[in-house]
Amino acid sequence: MARITLREVAHSYQVYPGGETDFALKRIHQVWEDGGAYALLGPSGCGKTTLLNVISGLLSPSRGRVFYDERDVTVQSPEQRNIAQVFQFPVLYDTMTVYGNLAFPLKNRGLDGAVIRRRVEEVAEILDLTPQLQSKAAGLSADAKQKISLGRGLVRSDVAAILFDEPLTVIDPHLKWQLRRKLKEVHEQLKLTLIYVTHDQVEALTFADQVMVMYQGELVQVGTPQELFENPRHRFVGYFIGSPGMNFLPCRVQGDAAQVDGVGIPLDPEIAGRAAAARGALELGIRPMFLEVHQAPAEGRIAVRVKTVEDQGSFKIVTVKLAGYSLKARLPEGRPVPEAEAYVRFPLDRTRIFCDGRLLS
Amino acid sequence: MEKWQDNRAWLLILPVFVIVAFSAVVPLITVVNYSVQDIFGPGQRLFVGTEWFREVLGDPRLHAALWRQFGFSALVLVLEIPLGVLIALAMPKKGWGVSLSLVLLALPLLIPWNVIGTIWIIFTRPDIGLMGAALNAMGLAFDHTARPLDAWITLMLMEVWHWTPLVALLAYAGLRAIPEPYYQAAKIDGASAWAVFRYIQLPKMRGVLTIAVLLRFMDSFLIYAEPFVLTGGGPGDSTTFLSIYLVKIAVGQFDLGPAAAFSLIYFLIVLLFSWLFYQALQNVGTGANR
């Protein structure tokens, strides 16, 4: 077990990278605490897997250093780093039994037969694989295979961290939930450092204590699910997390209000002051959950046209038109649904201003 | 979906029936026909029952040819399959080396079979051949037209040179199809190079190696052109394989009856062994028969 530190790490798949765009990882400077459950969240192609492979040692980064505790492991192999990794598709040794698969990493390290047997049986117990220990691994279902891949990591009692690269992609939806719970259990029981790569926000938010959102080779925000939801530090986080994502309106700031195509939206004076001083393209952002929709006009409410209403079961999504822009609002069940005309209010404490995609705070 | 019944659908598969009938069924039945009759000429025939089969099965020259044939095929498999896999493992995985090695490997496969025989006759000639003359100059008497062992060595060299590339190409295709995470997982599990080969590469090549073994067995068991051109079955009978002997009976002596009976037995042996190889390779290491 170890605390993992990446110092000024950048990676390019090209031998002679030119500009910023040649880098799959731009500048990662981050610490993963020992025993934490982390999720790396981001869209396909954002560099999640590259980052994971740099941590595991399958890739050596073009720049920067990797530390496990105080040990510099930048040029060490995954085996030397003593890491375990579970891949998107289950990787099995087809000709071996489940037992053989689980024992394989220990046999390769030349451990004593009795020790191997004890460890394998312990891990099989944790993962509910005991009944299948003597069957051939090739014939099992996808979720059992994925548990075996995980088990090959767990058998090594001194493993530094377990890395998951979208491990639930090939699992049936109802089993996904079970397997995710199993992972959480394993984490609580063994207190291992887990790093979990996914592009599914539900998976990330339910699994991890800390979620790291990646976008175009950068970690744009690291925080608890709540922090990411309430205070997205980057436009991308607002858009990517939450369903539907944050509303964004290009705006100018005059006095204590944001001007969106001639419509004034009141702002917190402090934020307005900072926005007035900022250089760059400004955008106003608000979560659909926090945008209030009313049927009657009042002070601070802005008249909008209702375009569509989607019923999502326990809530409704109302799409309204403000100036030239569409806004989504989330209406709890039971609230009256406005028809053609509505009035929206932007609560001061929930309205955010982004400058060139980054939060002003 | 509703099921349609329409007998006109038979018309659609009729062409296949016709082609298969004329390319396989009719010739086969003709052979069966010959194998139970004594044919003196057009319209002059006599039903002889199993006489030709008994004659052929009791022929000591045929027994010798059969054992020779098994020996040849066994050597071919034992030499070419491991060698082909080794070559595939050693081949570059990316870059310009891939195309180059693929082209070099494919070259022997592009040469017509009888030309291959001719190339090796010249190559091994004791007077002017590069290999033959070189060996003789070093004091090693080498002449495949006079010494059975030399004939076999030449034949095996030619065969390995000609057909190992096929095994290598198949094995290479199988190796390239293994997804990268298998190697990454093996690295993480601390597997040695031998363990990677034994537990990842070899099992993943099962499919292509099955095809390689079947193709090499069938081709080598039916081999005709190369040894015919190179040695003509000699010296003596030492490289007379089944098909060479078969052609001697059928064309040389015009004994159509025994040749037909022999053909049928030959066909059944190939079929039987191909099936055995297929079953063995599909099941080995999967625990299916435990």
PDB file of all heavy atoms in Angstrom, chain A residues 145-163:
ATOM      1  N   LYS A 145     -15.582 -13.604 -14.615  1.00  0.00           N
ATOM      2  CA  LYS A 145     -14.244 -13.422 -15.187  1.00  0.00           C
ATOM      3  C   LYS A 145     -13.620 -12.136 -14.677  1.00  0.00           C
ATOM      4  O   LYS A 145     -12.429 -12.088 -14.371  1.00  0.00           O
ATOM      5  CB  LYS A 145     -14.331 -13.353 -16.712  1.00  0.00           C
ATOM      6  CG  LYS A 145     -14.600 -14.695 -17.351  1.00  0.00           C
ATOM      7  CD  LYS A 145     -14.624 -14.542 -18.852  1.00  0.00           C
ATOM      8  CE  LYS A 145     -14.877 -15.869 -19.520  1.00  0.00           C
ATOM      9  NZ  LYS A 145     -15.012 -15.739 -20.965  1.00  0.00           N
ATOM     10  N   GLN A 146     -14.439 -11.093 -14.586  1.00  0.00           N
ATOM     11  CA  GLN A 146     -13.916  -9.814 -14.126  1.00  0.00           C
ATOM     12  C   GLN A 146     -13.513  -9.911 -12.644  1.00  0.00           C
ATOM     13  O   GLN A 146     -12.543  -9.306 -12.220  1.00  0.00           O
ATOM     14  CB  GLN A 146     -14.962  -8.725 -14.381  1.00  0.00           C
ATOM     15  CG  GLN A 146     -14.459  -7.329 -14.645  1.00  0.00           C
ATOM     16  CD  GLN A 146     -13.396  -7.191 -15.711  1.00  0.00           C
ATOM     17  OE1 GLN A 146     -12.423  -7.941 -15.761  1.00  0.00           O
ATOM     18  NE2 GLN A 146     -13.540  -6.211 -16.565  1.00  0.00           N
ATOM     19  N   LYS A 147     -14.254 -10.717 -11.889  1.00  0.00           N
ATOM     20  CA  LYS A 147     -13.896 -10.909 -10.481  1.00  0.00           C
ATOM     21  C   LYS A 147     -12.557 -11.650 -10.375  1.00  0.00           C
ATOM     22  O   LYS A 147     -11.761 -11.377  -9.478  1.00  0.00           O
ATOM     23  CB  LYS A 147     -14.990 -11.703  -9.748  1.00  0.00           C
ATOM     24  CG  LYS A 147     -16.168 -10.830  -9.351  1.00  0.00           C
ATOM     25  CD  LYS A 147     -16.975 -11.441  -8.221  1.00  0.00           C
ATOM     26  CE  LYS A 147     -17.979 -12.419  -8.736  1.00  0.00           C
ATOM     27  NZ  LYS A 147     -18.914 -12.873  -7.678  1.00  0.00           N
ATOM     28  N   ILE A 148     -12.315 -12.581 -11.311  1.00  0.00           N
ATOM     29  CA  ILE A 148     -11.034 -13.296 -11.303  1.00  0.00           C
ATOM     30  C   ILE A 148      -9.892 -12.322 -11.596  1.00  0.00           C
ATOM     31  O   ILE A 148      -8.857 -12.348 -10.936  1.00  0.00           O
ATOM     32  CB  ILE A 148     -11.046 -14.451 -12.322  1.00  0.00           C
ATOM     33  CG1 ILE A 148     -12.111 -15.470 -11.928  1.00  0.00           C
ATOM     34  CG2 ILE A 148      -9.684 -15.108 -12.410  1.00  0.00           C
ATOM     35  CD1 ILE A 148     -12.380 -16.498 -12.981  1.00  0.00           C
ATOM     36  N   SER A 149     -10.122 -11.423 -12.578  1.00  0.00           N
ATOM     37  CA  SER A 149      -9.083 -10.428 -12.878  1.00  0.00           C
ATOM     38  C   SER A 149      -8.780  -9.602 -11.638  1.00  0.00           C
ATOM     39  O   SER A 149      -7.618  -9.302 -11.343  1.00  0.00           O
ATOM     40  CB  SER A 149      -9.542  -9.469 -13.983  1.00  0.00           C
ATOM     41  OG  SER A 149     -10.065 -10.151 -15.074  1.00  0.00           O
ATOM     42  N   LEU A 150      -9.826  -9.228 -10.931  1.00  0.00           N
ATOM     43  CA  LEU A 150      -9.643  -8.462  -9.702  1.00  0.00           C
ATOM     44  C   LEU A 150      -8.918  -9.309  -8.659  1.00  0.00           C
ATOM     45  O   LEU A 150      -8.005  -8.834  -7.980  1.00  0.00           O
ATOM     46  CB  LEU A 150     -11.012  -8.022  -9.172  1.00  0.00           C
ATOM     47  CG  LEU A 150     -11.067  -7.416  -7.773  1.00  0.00           C
ATOM     48  CD1 LEU A 150     -10.233  -6.148  -7.718  1.00  0.00           C
ATOM     49  CD2 LEU A 150     -12.501  -7.108  -7.389  1.00  0.00           C
ATOM     50  N   GLY A 151      -9.316 -10.576  -8.585  1.00  0.00           N
ATOM     51  CA  GLY A 151      -8.731 -11.484  -7.605  1.00  0.00           C
ATOM     52  C   GLY A 151      -7.240 -11.650  -7.799  1.00  0.00           C
ATOM     53  O   GLY A 151      -6.485 -11.752  -6.830  1.00  0.00           O
ATOM     54  N   ARG A 152      -6.788 -11.643  -9.066  1.00  0.00           N
ATOM     55  CA  ARG A 152      -5.346 -11.781  -9.315  1.00  0.00           C
ATOM     56  C   ARG A 152      -4.586 -10.604  -8.725  1.00  0.00           C
ATOM     57  O   ARG A 152      -3.398 -10.705  -8.430  1.00  0.00           O
ATOM     58  CB  ARG A 152      -5.071 -11.896 -10.812  1.00  0.00           C
ATOM     59  CG  ARG A 152      -5.397 -13.261 -11.365  1.00  0.00           C
ATOM     60  CD  ARG A 152      -4.559 -13.572 -12.594  1.00  0.00           C
ATOM     61  NE  ARG A 152      -4.554 -12.473 -13.553  1.00  0.00           N
ATOM     62  CZ  ARG A 152      -5.448 -12.343 -14.520  1.00  0.00           C
ATOM     63  NH1 ARG A 152      -6.384 -13.224 -14.688  1.00  0.00           N
ATOM     64  NH2 ARG A 152      -5.397 -11.318 -15.337  1.00  0.00           N
ATOM     65  N   GLY A 153      -5.290  -9.459  -8.577  1.00  0.00           N
ATOM     66  CA  GLY A 153      -4.659  -8.330  -7.898  1.00  0.00           C
ATOM     67  C   GLY A 153      -4.688  -8.495  -6.391  1.00  0.00           C
ATOM     68  O   GLY A 153      -3.713  -8.212  -5.713  1.00  0.00           O
ATOM     69  N   LEU A 154      -5.835  -8.993  -5.895  1.00  0.00           N
ATOM     70  CA  LEU A 154      -6.002  -9.062  -4.441  1.00  0.00           C
ATOM     71  C   LEU A 154      -5.134 -10.120  -3.782  1.00  0.00           C
ATOM     72  O   LEU A 154      -4.799  -9.985  -2.610  1.00  0.00           O
ATOM     73  CB  LEU A 154      -7.473  -9.336  -4.095  1.00  0.00           C
ATOM     74  CG  LEU A 154      -8.483  -8.264  -4.484  1.00  0.00           C
ATOM     75  CD1 LEU A 154      -9.887  -8.696  -4.121  1.00  0.00           C
ATOM     76  CD2 LEU A 154      -8.152  -6.938  -3.811  1.00  0.00           C
ATOM     77  N   VAL A 155      -4.766 -11.185  -4.502  1.00  0.00           N
ATOM     78  CA  VAL A 155      -3.994 -12.256  -3.864  1.00  0.00           C
ATOM     79  C   VAL A 155      -2.651 -11.772  -3.353  1.00  0.00           C
ATOM     80  O   VAL A 155      -2.114 -12.320  -2.410  1.00  0.00           O
ATOM     81  CB  VAL A 155      -3.726 -13.483  -4.775  1.00  0.00           C
ATOM     82  CG1 VAL A 155      -4.954 -14.335  -4.903  1.00  0.00           C
ATOM     83  CG2 VAL A 155      -3.173 -13.077  -6.103  1.00  0.00           C
ATOM     84  N   ARG A 156      -2.138 -10.729  -3.991  1.00  0.00           N
ATOM     85  CA  ARG A 156      -0.857 -10.213  -3.514  1.00  0.00           C
ATOM     86  C   ARG A 156      -1.165  -9.308  -2.332  1.00  0.00           C
ATOM     87  O   ARG A 156      -1.713  -8.226  -2.496  1.00  0.00           O
ATOM     88  CB  ARG A 156      -0.166  -9.435  -4.626  1.00  0.00           C
ATOM     89  CG  ARG A 156       0.343 -10.350  -5.703  1.00  0.00           C
ATOM     90  CD  ARG A 156       1.130  -9.571  -6.720  1.00  0.00           C
ATOM     91  NE  ARG A 156       0.282  -9.081  -7.788  1.00  0.00           N
ATOM     92  CZ  ARG A 156       0.454  -7.919  -8.392  1.00  0.00           C
ATOM     93  NH1 ARG A 156       1.388  -7.100  -8.000  1.00  0.00           N
ATOM     94  NH2 ARG A 156      -0.330  -7.575  -9.371  1.00  0.00           N
ATOM     95  N   SER A 157      -0.798  -9.763  -1.138  1.00  0.00           N
ATOM     96  CA  SER A 157      -1.227  -9.040   0.061  1.00  0.00           C
ATOM     97  C   SER A 157      -0.555  -7.678   0.150  1.00  0.00           C
ATOM     98  O   SER A 157      -1.059  -6.764   0.784  1.00  0.00           O
ATOM     99  CB  SER A 157      -0.893  -9.869   1.297  1.00  0.00           C
ATOM    100  OG  SER A 157       0.441 -10.282   1.210  1.00  0.00           O
ATOM    101  N   ASP A 158       0.593  -7.519  -0.520  1.00  0.00           N
ATOM    102  CA  ASP A 158       1.336  -6.270  -0.383  1.00  0.00           C
ATOM    103  C   ASP A 158       1.126  -5.340  -1.578  1.00  0.00           C
ATOM    104  O   ASP A 158       1.893  -4.430  -1.803  1.00  0.00           O
ATOM    105  CB  ASP A 158       2.828  -6.591  -0.260  1.00  0.00           C
ATOM    106  CG  ASP A 158       3.313  -7.416  -1.438  1.00  0.00           C
ATOM    107  OD1 ASP A 158       2.465  -7.975  -2.157  1.00  0.00           O
ATOM    108  OD2 ASP A 158       4.535  -7.499  -1.659  1.00  0.00           O
ATOM    109  N   VAL A 159       0.062  -5.571  -2.352  1.00  0.00           N
ATOM    110  CA  VAL A 159      -0.122  -4.796  -3.576  1.00  0.00           C
ATOM    111  C   VAL A 159      -0.278  -3.306  -3.236  1.00  0.00           C
ATOM    112  O   VAL A 159      -0.930  -2.933  -2.261  1.00  0.00           O
ATOM    113  CB  VAL A 159      -1.327  -5.360  -4.368  1.00  0.00           C
ATOM    114  CG1 VAL A 159      -2.629  -5.099  -3.676  1.00  0.00           C
ATOM    115  CG2 VAL A 159      -1.352  -4.811  -5.777  1.00  0.00           C
ATOM    116  N   ALA A 160       0.391  -2.445  -4.048  1.00  0.00           N
ATOM    117  CA  ALA A 160       0.446  -1.019  -3.732  1.00  0.00           C
ATOM    118  C   ALA A 160      -0.883  -0.329  -4.000  1.00  0.00           C
ATOM    119  O   ALA A 160      -1.317   0.536  -3.252  1.00  0.00           O
ATOM    120  CB  ALA A 160       1.554  -0.351  -4.543  1.00  0.00           C
ATOM    121  N   ALA A 161      -1.552  -0.698  -5.078  1.00  0.00           N
ATOM    122  CA  ALA A 161      -2.839  -0.098  -5.420  1.00  0.00           C
ATOM    123  C   ALA A 161      -3.487  -0.969  -6.478  1.00  0.00           C
ATOM    124  O   ALA A 161      -2.803  -1.728  -7.167  1.00  0.00           O
ATOM    125  CB  ALA A 161      -2.653   1.310  -5.965  1.00  0.00           C
ATOM    126  N   ILE A 162      -4.809  -0.889  -6.589  1.00  0.00           N
ATOM    127  CA  ILE A 162      -5.488  -1.611  -7.649  1.00  0.00           C
ATOM    128  C   ILE A 162      -6.115  -0.593  -8.585  1.00  0.00           C
ATOM    129  O   ILE A 162      -6.831   0.310  -8.156  1.00  0.00           O
ATOM    130  CB  ILE A 162      -6.559  -2.559  -7.098  1.00  0.00           C
ATOM    131  CG1 ILE A 162      -5.894  -3.541  -6.133  1.00  0.00           C
ATOM    132  CG2 ILE A 162      -7.236  -3.335  -8.224  1.00  0.00           C
ATOM    133  CD1 ILE A 162      -6.798  -4.625  -5.648  1.00  0.00           C
ATOM    134  N   LEU A 163      -5.810  -0.732  -9.857  1.00  0.00           N
ATOM    135  CA  LEU A 163      -6.306   0.208 -10.854  1.00  0.00           C
ATOM    136  C   LEU A 163      -7.354  -0.475 -11.720  1.00  0.00           C
ATOM    137  O   LEU A 163      -7.191  -1.624 -12.118  1.00  0.00           O
ATOM    138  CB  LEU A 163      -5.146   0.679 -11.735  1.00  0.00           C
ATOM    139  CG  LEU A 163      -3.884   1.118 -10.989  1.00  0.00           C
ATOM    140  CD1 LEU A 163      -2.831   1.579 -11.982  1.00  0.00           C
ATOM    141  CD2 LEU A 163      -4.202   2.235 -10.023  1.00  0.00           C
TER     142      LEU A 163
END
